[in-house]
Amino acid sequence: MAEERMLITGGQRLEGTVRVSGGKNTAVAVISASILSRTPCVIENLPNIEDVNVSVETLEHLGAKVSWDPKAGVMEVDASTICRTDVPLELCRRMRASSYYIGALLARCGQAQVPLPGGCDIGRRPIDQHIKGMRSLGAVVETQRGVVNARADKLVGGDVFMDMVTVGGTINVMLAASQAEGITTIYNAAKEPHIVDLANFLNSMGCRVKGAGTDVIRIRGVNTLACRRPYAVIPDQIETGTLMIAAAATHGDVTICGCIPTHMEALTAKLLEMGARVDERDDAIRVRSIGAHRAVTFKTQVYPGFPTDLQQPMSALLCTATGTSTVVENIFESRFRHLAEMERMGARVRIYEQTAVIEGVPQLHAAAVEATDLRAGAALVIAGLMAQGTTEIYNTHFIDRGYEHLEDKLNSLGAKIWRTRE
Ligand code: EPZ
């Protein structure tokens, strides 16, 4: 059978209301934290995506009992039966967040053997800061033949100074510190919404985390963590942004409900600058756009700056803006590969190291293109929605890693997207 492709007939205006799913990056963190609980955990609002499936396989490998209802988005985890402290390479290759099991297993079992993680190929993704943080808590951590071996008879809270702002490093140290003796302080911590969500989940289990959402987080470890009530993860910031960009790209009128508008300020500001109209309600955002968009300049930054995960979809939109846009990617060094694919669709792009200069063209045209990572896939979907003709996107599995039923959601708004293996 031929490889699966996503086909998009462009030029359809998106109109209507769509509900955003639970957050991918918060889901993988909260699920890994569930192994800290001595009582069964119920986690709600989880997206039905491949990274959640990999998380389930990981928990089951460790010996936890998991019941996962992808339709309802509800998972129950009973980690009282955990009997292993290793994560197989096959699972680590498929998900970056496998590294969270180093911190979580250290806290829960005093040891972990986890191969260096995989995930999207968007540049170097070392975990030296994660390891440094765990050593500051007294763990002995060595990497041998690509496997991180961590152990600690006892973890003791300490000061952790991050050399750079790292989302994964902050999460991993929070997990390890949750049952350490005394107080751990993370300086230069990441402030992303999913850090706050993980802190709320840990606190709901009895941990004492303060300062999440600022650059100094204090964690007072406790002996026993226990889930007492169901916990619902926050809506997906990046899916919300992708849908907002899709609305603007098709000169549509779309209301995205179930989202948190304050998480979207950096994108909202840029869409307004481009000439789109954005209206915010408590838990919904309406994006409307008529006429041509103006070119803009933006740089990716840590939260609350413009998120690197939206750089790719946003740069797709800029391909048809009037004028020349400049995009600086400050977080990952190889996150412009989608632009080379879009050149096949008529985009005019020059790349100078971490800067992409995009000269807007009046119209993209359909082509066969390849998703090189998750958000590159989303960017190609946006480009396909704008293009004349039927675009074919290869490597759809990247899109399924992080977007729940993306084509169903877009089709409900008027898009023409389907998959084929013919
Ligand atoms: C998280 O990756 C997200 N993944 C990414 O989402 C997101 O792009 C990224 O944060 C930035 O927001 C998950 O949450 C599962 P980092 P992470 O540690 O934790 C350097 C998506 O599309 N660094 O904040 O891996 C690193 O090389 C994905 O959903 C070190 O040098 O990102 C990078 O340049 C892709 N040493 C920068 O820091 C370390 O020990 C930020 O990385 C850790 C990081």
Side-chain angles (χ1 to χ4, degrees), residues 50-74:
E50 192 49 25
D51 273 18
V52 169
N53 295 333
V54 176
S55 301
V56 172
E57 286 182 53
T58 306
L59 293 177
E60 286 174 341
H61 170 86
L62 296 174
K65 290 191 194 117
V66 187
S67 113
W68 164 224
D69 179 346
K71 272 203 178 134
V74 178

Side-chain angles (χ1 to χ4, degrees), residues 244-256:
M244 289 168 72
I245 293 167
T250 60
H251 298 293
D253 181 352
V254 174
T255 300
I256 299 136

Side-chain angles (χ1 to χ4, degrees), residues 300-329:
T300 62
Q301 286 170 325
V302 296
Y303 189 81
F306 196 98
T308 172
D309 294 347
L310 286 175
Q311 176 267 109
Q312 292 154 297
M314 183 66 165
S315 51
L317 174 60
L318 294 177
C319 287
T320 60
T322 307
T324 302
S325 300
T326 306
V327 178
V328 182
E329 171 55 61

